[in-house]
Amino acid sequence: MMLTDPLLTPFWEEAEKLGAIIFIHPLLCEDPRLKRRMMPNLIGVPWETTLSATDLLLSGHLDTYPNVKIVLAHGGGFLPYQVGRLDKGYKQWPAVSGALQAPPSAYLKRFWFDSVVWEPKVLTFLAELVGPERIVPGSDYPFDLSVWPPDWTDELGIKSLLG
């Protein structure tokens, strides 16, 4: 079930009333093509983050529930790096633009992103795209690729990005 499924409308309505923070962190992807070489963890979970975030964005949920704060694990998955593709689809297809009040790239700054990307250049790109104030420390704890505790002064240099 996608997070935009109508069965979850009461959840979203209550989250809106509360101004809730929703952290999207999927479990390992069950795609049978990813059953080797640790791919469920390496690309499966960022893919699932991408899928959830893109569905929320294209559904119009960010406009319908503007008080809900959505934090995306894994630096937003692949979404920040393919947002130009979504913008192109927005210009070309009513199925993409129909529920939106602005191009998809305009909605990126409505999300929050954790810092679990493991590459300083990627984190720098994300900070330039969405603003460093939209990045929160992440640890991926207790999963395999975790670091604990999350540290703003780690090897990714998050603290220097935030000034």
Side-chain angles (χ1 to χ4, degrees):
M1 174 188 305
M2 299 300 289
L3 295 174
T4 59
D5 189 286
L7 288 173
L8 296 175
T9 299
F11 167 81
W12 288 106
E13 289 172 346
E14 187 65 20
E16 174 69 10
K17 280 190 245 176
L18 296 172
I21 299 170
I22 310 284
F23 180 53
I24 309 285
H25 188 293
L27 294 176
L28 294 178
C29 179
E30 293 296 324
D31 187 321
R33 297 171 298 170
L34 304 181
K35 290 294 182 192
R36 54 191 184 169
R37 300 183 187 100
M38 299 303 294
M39 287 196 295
N41 197 319
L42 294 172
I43 62 171
V45 287
W47 159 248
E48 293 289 345
T49 300
T50 306
L51 185 61
S52 293
T54 304
D55 183 56
L56 286 166
L57 191 159
L58 296 180
S59 71
H61 266 53
L62 298 179
D63 290 320
T64 304
Y65 307 107
N67 293 319
V68 177
K69 295 161 189 70
I70 300 172
V71 182
L72 302 174
H74 316 112
F78 307 119
L79 177 63
Y81 318 100
Q82 293 298 320
V83 72
R85 188 173 183 87
L86 272 65
D87 280 353
K88 173 70 172 156
Y90 173 86
K91 292 175 187 170
Q92 190 157 336
W93 297 315
V96 174
S97 61
L100 301 180
Q101 298 175 11
S105 57
Y107 289 91
L108 278 187
K109 292 187 178 189
R110 301 271 303 276
F111 288 113
W112 298 80
F113 302 83
D114 82 4
S115 62
V116 181
V117 296
W118 307 112
E119 169 56 49
K121 290 178 185 175
V122 171
L123 193 60
T124 298
F125 170 78
L126 183 60
E128 290 172 359
L129 186 67
V130 302
E133 70 281 357
R134 294 305 232 177
I135 300 173
V136 299
S139 72
D140 224 19
Y141 183 83
F143 300 103
D144 292 354
L145 291 179
S146 67
V147 61
W148 188 257
D151 182 359
W152 281 114
T153 61
D154 67 11
E155 71 275 4
L156 296 179
I158 299 165
K159 186 174 184 177
S160 65
L161 284 176
L162 298 176

